[in-house]
Amino acid sequence: MRLRVEFTTEPFDLDEVPAHAVVAREVIETAELDAVDVGPFGNTAEGAADAVLGAVDALLRKSLDAGATRISLQVNVMREGGN
């Protein structure tokens, strides 16, 4: 099974990237995922279910430890050959 996760961490800071956002980006970029798109207001990643779920676990734990007060995420099951 393949999954796609979309997530944001808060609070936002338009002047400087918050530590929790840096940590979230590092977790996603170093995970064994097939596709990663990191942006200023939303992030997506997709890959095998075990890899995505492991990355989500690490993302939640490390972002909260780094000061996130809210993490919004959505996980979708990807159909074979597309979304």
Side-chain angles (χ1 to χ4, degrees):
M1 175 186 325
R2 290 183 53 77
L3 300 176
R4 174 185 291 152
V5 61
E6 301 174 44
F7 67 91
T8 58
T9 61
E10 296 179 41
F12 295 114
D13 185 337
L14 297 177
D15 296 325
E16 184 176 322
V17 179
H20 59 80
V22 172
V23 167
R25 179 175 46 220
E26 289 172 354
V27 167
I28 291 301
E29 289 179 339
T30 59
E32 293 185 25
L33 301 170
D34 300 331
V36 174
D37 182 23
V38 176
F41 299 108
N43 310 282
T44 61
E46 60 183 73
D50 286 342
V52 172
L53 294 173
V56 166
D57 179 60
L59 168 80
L60 292 171
R61 293 174 189 278
K62 292 181 178 184
S63 296
L64 291 169
D65 285 345
T69 57
R70 179 181 177 135
I71 301 169
S72 302
L73 65 92
Q74 177 175 313
V75 177
N76 295 301
V77 175
M78 305 297 294
R79 287 186 246 161
E80 292 296 320
N83 25 337

